[in-house]
Every structure is written in C-alpha cells, then in structure tokens.
Amino acid sequence: LFPLFGTPYGMTMQWFTAKDGTPCVAPPWSSLVALDMSTGSILWQTPLLDKVSEHVKPGHQFTLGGAITTAGGITFIAATPDKKLRAFETRSGKLLWQYDLPATGNATPMSYQVNGEQYLVVAAGGSDLLQSQRSDNLIAFKLDLPASNNDN
C-alpha cells in the first residue's frame, strides 16, 4: 500500500503479466511520440521498450519519466528501465546517441546554460517503484550544438 500523504487514503498497484513477466499486451510497451500540435496528428513514433532486457525486472516493462526537447532540435529521454539516456532528432525521430546510466533515469532531463555553453543533466537515481538499483548520481553532459538555430 502506498500512502497518499495528507489524506486518509492509500493506493495499491498490481502488475498484470504473463508467466515470464512480460505485460499482457503486445510490445512495444512504451513509445516516444511526436505530435503536430496544430493538427494533433502523429509525426513520428519510436518504440522505447519493445523487448525484455536483462535490466528489466518481470512485470516492469514501462517507462517512468518524461522527455525534454532542446532548441537545437534534439529530444532527450531517460525514462526506460534499461538504464539508457537516449537522444533523438526531434524532426525525424532518428536515434542519434545513447548512453548507459549507472541506474534508471526515472526523471525528466534538464537543460541549462553556463557562460554560453549548454548542458544536459539527468538524475540516475533508480526507482523503488520499479524495484531497480538505487543510486544518487546526477550526470551532466556538455552539448555540442550549433550556436544558433533559426529553424525552430
């Protein structure tokens, strides 16, 4: 039971899985989807979690966290239980890069600037909810992006 602090209520969850631990629906179990905000139509989508990996505990094939899109046209997400931070080309959905984190990054990455240089930071802390390895890592990357991008 997960208490709902400040209330007399609680919440409980149960994973509906097959005997091998996979969800009772066909993969992909999670996708990154780009929408045209003017029309609501899907521009592209790419699976984030479409197979069981050694890092995924049975019954935990879903993502927990969000994505961030930079003005330079890159979308970053680290919400998967396979401990990867991924970078996608925002216009096409093409995977550009991925990095193995020390624990799951179940948080939305953050971008910031210092002295004109752009950085990306992600908390790789693991998750009690997903029963994944816990960590206290904050990992920052300096982004090598064009100085200006007038296309966005």
Side-chain angles (χ1 to χ4, degrees), residues 43-44 68-76 88-92 96 118 145-152:
L43 297 173
W44 56 261
I68 184 173
T69 299
T70 68
I74 311 277
T75 298
F76 294 93
F88 294 90
E89 185 178 67
T90 302
R91 291 190 188 271
S92 69
L96 300 173
Q118 187 173 3
L145 301 174
S148 66
N149 186 343
N150 296 324
D151 295 337
N152 291 330

Side-chain angles (χ1 to χ4, degrees), residues 1-150:
L1 181 68
F2 297 99
L4 298 175
F5 296 104
T7 76
Y9 305 103
M11 177 186 74
T12 165
M13 293 186 290
Q14 180 178 351
W15 313 113
F16 293 102
T17 62
K19 288 183 181 182
D20 68 355
T22 58
C24 292
V25 295
W29 298 300
S30 179
S31 295
L32 183 61
V33 181
L35 298 175
D36 180 322
M37 298 304 287
S38 298
T39 66
S41 63
I42 294 175
L43 297 173
W44 56 261
Q45 58 186 351
T46 186
L48 289 177
L49 197 54
D50 58 358
K51 63 182 185 250
V52 176
S53 85
E54 64 186 82
H55 302 291
V56 182
K57 296 202 183 284
H60 296 111
Q61 287 85 5
F62 61 88
T63 56
L64 186 61
I68 184 173
T69 299
T70 68
I74 311 277
T75 298
F76 294 93
I77 189 164
T80 56
D82 62 2
K83 303 179 184 179
K84 294 197 183 299
L85 169 64
R86 292 175 173 87
F88 294 90
E89 185 178 67
T90 302
R91 291 190 188 271
S92 69
K94 176 184 173 189
L95 178 65
L96 300 173
W97 172 84
Q98 60 186 13
Y99 179 83
D100 291 320
L101 297 167
T104 56
N106 304 121
T108 302
M110 183 183 81
S111 179
Y112 61 95
Q113 284 189 348
V114 175
N115 298 326
E117 301 285 344
Q118 187 173 3
Y119 296 86
L120 181 91
V121 67
V122 64
S127 169
D128 287 339
L129 177 64
L130 299 179
Q131 300 172 358
S132 64
Q133 171 189 342
R134 300 289 287 161
S135 170
D136 61 357
N137 285 285
L138 286 174
I139 301 172
F141 300 88
K142 181 179 172 189
L143 302 182
D144 187 20
L145 301 174
S148 66
N149 186 343
N150 296 324

